[in-house]
Amino acid sequence: MTPQLPDRRVVLTSAPNMRDLGGIPVSHGIVQPGLLYRSASLAKLDGSGEAAFTKLNITTVYDFRTAAERHGALDHVPEGTRIVWLDVVADAPNNVAASIPKLIADPAALESMLGAGRADEYLADANREFVSMPSARTAYRKFFLDLIDERRIGAGLFHCTTGKDRTGWAAISFLLLLGASEDDVRADYLETNTDLAPALQPMLDALEAKGVNIGLLQPILRVCDSYFDAALNEMRSKYGTIEGYARTGLGLTDAQIGALRVRFIHTPTTY
């Protein structure tokens, strides 16, 4: 049975798939609300979206996209927002998770790459690479170190293009390191299917009207248990535990892991 997590959505038409990681149960408490958010691309953030960012005190944005994805689609955020670019798939720029915009624009490439049911295999491989590929480990190490930087103030937000794959592993590893249960982490991961679909439907309808086989696209615009399991199995195979991944894969110290927990875990006071 899927756990019932608190509703943490931030509904912005110009920044889909956005939600607070706060409120999820972890060891000795919950993730502190209002400190860390996840979303899809912020390239189309409009005036009301910028106002929401200001209200939420989001001062740092972590962009996991490639240079090609960012070209012509830089984040549109309130003035003064700090943007940290962390190219997770620099070592594999053709990683399918980073190729979604190109595939959408090129039906022939879409058919060649994802025909014959290959989408699920490619996405599972992509999620394994987020765990063990050198550029991914470098990017996520910098992400975690910046999260605990005492000089950083305000809330943070991390994203890729659709906010589901590279963003998904960032959320998975963050929540597991804080002590969230695997079931709760999986539930947050799968919530993307509910939160992202309404924003993508107009695009899919338009592509279908142009004759694009959207049946090939749909598998790469969702998340599923097999992608989640591929990432976790890679983590366990290479590092044993989430702490092993943090220490050996990312090079974080026990003190740094502890600092992450201190900063992001809220322990309710009992009287």
Side-chain angles (χ1 to χ4, degrees):
M1 183 177 296
T2 302
Q4 292 296 311
L5 296 177
D7 186 355
R8 299 160 290 111
R9 292 172 295 174
V10 180
V11 181
L12 298 176
T13 56
S14 59
N17 201 22
M18 182 174 172
R19 57 188 177 272
D20 189 348
L21 292 184
I24 295 177
V26 295
S27 297
H28 310 297
I30 61 171
V31 180
Q32 176 70 55
L35 291 186
L36 191 61
Y37 298 83
R38 56 178 293 178
S39 75
S41 169
L42 304 175
K44 297 182 179 179
L45 195 69
D46 59 17
S48 62
E50 288 192 40
F53 262 53
T54 300
K55 185 176 181 180
L56 294 170
N57 195 30
I58 296 171
T59 57
T60 302
V61 169
Y62 304 94
D63 185 348
F64 294 142
R65 296 177 297 167
T66 65
E69 289 174 288
R70 297 174 85 239
H71 181 69
L74 292 176
D75 287 337
H76 187 267
V77 293
E79 185 176 356
T81 303
R82 175 172 164 259
I83 297 177
V84 181
W85 179 33
L86 303 168
D87 186 349
V88 170
V89 297
D91 290 338
N94 293 322
N95 179 292
V96 71
S99 302
I100 291 174
K102 180 173 67 176
L103 293 172
I104 288 173
D106 188 345
L110 177 67
E111 182 71 41
S112 174
M113 188 169 191
L114 300 181
R118 289 188 291 269
D120 286 343
E121 177 184 345
Y122 279 126
L123 263 296
D125 286 343
N127 277 272
R128 294 185 189 99
E129 289 181 333
F130 301 149
V131 177
S132 55
M133 186 165 52
S135 63
R137 291 187 286 111
T138 295
Y140 291 125
R141 169 183 166 79
K142 292 178 179 177
F143 170 63
F144 281 111
L145 289 178
D146 201 81
L147 286 181
I148 62 173
D149 190 330
E150 294 181 352
R151 297 167 295 180
R152 186 184 64 81
I153 59 174
L157 178 144
F158 57 97
H159 75 87
C160 48
T161 293
T162 54
K164 68 183 188 69
D165 297 307
R166 288 159 287 183
T167 297
W169 177 246
I172 290 168
S173 53
F174 171 82
L175 291 170
L176 289 176
L177 274 174
L178 264 57
S181 72
E182 185 176 314
D183 285 346
D184 282 348
V185 177
R186 187 186 298 267
D188 174 73
Y189 178 79
L190 294 174
E191 188 176 331
T192 284
N193 291 331
T194 301
D195 293 352
L196 186 61
L200 294 178
Q201 195 57 51
M203 177 195 71
L204 291 174
D205 291 342
L207 290 171
E208 188 172 33
K210 294 178 181 179
V212 175
N213 182 357
I214 63 170
L216 295 177
L217 270 178
Q218 286 166 331
I220 65 169
L221 296 176
R222 67 167 193 250
V223 293
C224 60
D225 286 301
S226 62
Y227 307 161
F228 181 93
D229 291 336
L232 258 63
N233 289 341
E234 181 77 0
M235 179 267 289
R236 289 172 178 140
S237 173
K238 292 287 195 300
Y239 308 109
T241 65
I242 190 63
E243 287 81 10
Y245 164 74
R247 295 185 189 108
T248 305
L250 304 185
L252 301 182
T253 66
D254 287 344
Q256 288 165 339
I257 296 170
L260 184 77
R261 292 167 175 164
V262 168
R263 185 158 189 171
F264 287 96
I265 293 177
H266 171 66
T267 303
T269 303
T270 55
Y271 295 94

